[in-house]
Amino acid sequence: MTHSSAPILITGGAGYIGSHTVRLLAGQGRKVVVLDNLVFGHDQAIIDPSVELVVGDVGDQALVRSLFAKFQFGAVIHFAAYTYVGESMTNPLKYYQNNTAEPIKLLQVMQEFGCKVFVFSSTCATYGVPDKLPITEANRQRPINPYGKSKLMVEWILEDCDHAWGLRSACLRYFNASGCSPDGLIGEDHNPETHLIPRVMMAVRGEIDHLEVFGTDYDTPDGTCIRDYIHVEDLADAHARALDHLAAGGDSVRCNLGTGVGVSVKEIISAVEAVSGKTVPVKYGPRREGDPASLVANPALAEELLGWVAARKDIQDMVGPAWIWTNGPYGGRYPQNKTPE
Ligand SMILES: NC(=O)c1ccc[n+]([C@@H]2O[C@H](COP(=O)([O-])OP(=O)(O)OC[C@H]3O[C@@H](n4cnc5c(N)ncnc54)[C@H](O)[C@@H]3O)[C@@H](O)[C@H]2O)c1
């Protein structure tokens, strides 16, 4: 397939999902420039030598202007954000500033330079507690925390920019990103880590005493919460397709990215035990406020609009590479960034 030759600006490209997408796009021969302040990203996660990493902030308009002037970007993929739901409850302004106000500054520069293609990391958290399952794009978006609201506001802003100045966008509502490149060269390393699969890995490796499981009395077959785990390389593929769709003049899209398969916490624990051959130390506790019993996508619209389907639906396909990453050269944790934060 031939792609638009204009360079692509990828914010947050040194983070977990961003780095896998950068690797895919650069591998497809696209010119990629990453803008990441490395607050949570890792310079070691940029492994393609053709990719330029600029350490800086999305909201630094002078820097972003200079990058647009130099590279004449044809598109932006915006991953940069804060992602901790709990912290967003106690410090909402931090989230509205970084996740909503900073992208506005970026969009202002895009408008100045006439760049009209934007791919946005949205989230299933914009739906809140779903009124029906599986979740389609027709479900009402009623986020229950500032994180989800900060993302939904950007969806609205993008809609208005489309109307006002022809910005075409893809709002990709990810479910639970998981897995990593099968060679284990890049992977998931958040600090603190709140995501289930890496936490189960940490428990198996003795980095934490035990895995805490919140709630065993949900209305699900085994009583634990059910989520839709989507492989990070499938997410990356969806971004490539969204870029091509928009570059070809396609309309703005908003769609779910999930497998459509629900997996419970207990099933994840069993999958990690199977791949590691070890028992996961677990403590079962009460439910945590704000955790819906089940969040599962209906991904049909992404197939219809972008020709995208998740290639991996078996949880072993997510857990297997994560085990390789956790036992790889970095032991699941990148070394300290070479560039100071
Ligand atoms: N991980 C998931 O399961 C999931 C699910 C739904 C949506 N998302 C969204 O996907 C995106 C990527 O998530 P992730 O898990 O890769 O997170 P991540 O923290 O690994 O990556 C985010 C990156 O953005 C950078 N960053 C943050 N604020 C910045 C700023 N103002 N300027 C420059 N760089 C900045 C961080 O340093 C980091 O490298 C986020 O927008 C997140 O909200 C993630």
Side-chain angles (χ1 to χ4, degrees), residues 16-249:
Y16 169 45
I17 305 170
S19 60
H20 287 81
T21 305
V22 166
R23 189 181 187 188
L24 175 77
L25 296 179
Q28 291 174 339
R30 308 190 206 220
K31 173 67 189 159
V32 169
V33 176
V34 169
L35 174 63
D36 196 302
N37 60 15
L38 300 183
V39 166
F40 289 111
H42 312 273
D43 52 9
Q44 300 90 348
I46 308 288
I47 56 174
D48 192 302
S50 74
V51 176
E52 188 162 335
L53 169 63
V54 178
V55 180
D57 212 273
V58 165
D60 180 346
Q61 283 192 324
L63 172 65
V64 174
R65 263 192 205 103
S66 72
L67 294 177
F68 268 84
K70 180 172 175 192
F71 293 102
Q72 301 294 321
F73 297 115
V76 173
I77 305 182
H78 181 58
F79 290 104
Y82 294 147
T83 63
Y84 294 104
V85 170
E87 185 187 47
S88 81
M89 302 287 283
T90 54
N91 195 351
L93 294 181
K94 180 175 175 182
Y95 281 70
Y96 292 125
Q97 177 63 45
N98 200 46
N99 295 4
T100 313
E102 302 289 284
I104 292 175
K105 294 185 201 162
L106 172 63
L107 289 165
Q108 285 167 340
V109 178
M110 289 180 66
Q111 188 180 12
E112 276 170 43
F113 281 83
C115 179
K116 296 186 177 177
V117 171
F118 194 80
V119 179
F120 174 58
S121 298
S122 190
T123 165
C124 64
T126 60
Y127 292 111
V129 181
D131 31 29
K132 73 180 175 11
L133 288 167
I135 298 172
T136 72
E137 292 74 5
N139 272 59
R140 278 179 57 187
Q141 287 178 291
R142 280 179 302 196
I144 56 169
N145 49 60
Y147 167 69
K149 290 177 192 172
S150 72
K151 292 281 181 174
L152 181 55
M153 282 189 232
V154 175
E155 288 202 11
W156 291 339
I157 290 164
L158 293 174
E159 200 178 316
D160 291 338
C161 290
D162 188 343
H163 185 72
W165 50 277
L167 174 77
R168 284 170 305 109
S169 63
C171 292
L172 304 178
R173 299 176 189 152
Y174 320 154
F175 281 63
N176 289 49
S178 60
C180 63
S181 290
D183 57 15
L185 291 181
I186 55 175
E188 182 166 16
D189 176 11
H190 295 111
N191 188 13
E193 186 58 77
T194 56
H195 291 161
L196 179 61
I197 295 174
R199 282 197 72 79
V200 183
M201 298 291 177
M202 287 162 75
V204 159
R205 289 167 57 89
E207 289 169 41
I208 50 177
D209 286 349
H210 61 271
L211 176 80
E212 57 294 293
V213 172
F214 302 106
T216 52
D217 58 350
Y218 283 99
D219 186 17
T220 59
D222 67 20
T224 60
C225 283
I226 287 180
R227 296 290 179 266
D228 183 330
Y229 293 88
I230 174 75
H231 196 284
V232 68
E233 289 193 329
D234 282 325
L235 289 180
D237 174 45
H239 289 73
R241 288 169 187 270
L243 276 178
D244 291 340
H245 165 83
L246 296 173

Side-chain angles (χ1 to χ4, degrees), residues 258-280:
T259 59
V261 178
V263 181
S264 75
V265 175
K266 282 188 176 168
E267 287 172 322
I268 295 282
I269 293 169
S270 301
V272 173
E273 288 183 336
V275 76
S276 66
K278 296 181 177 169
T279 303
V280 179

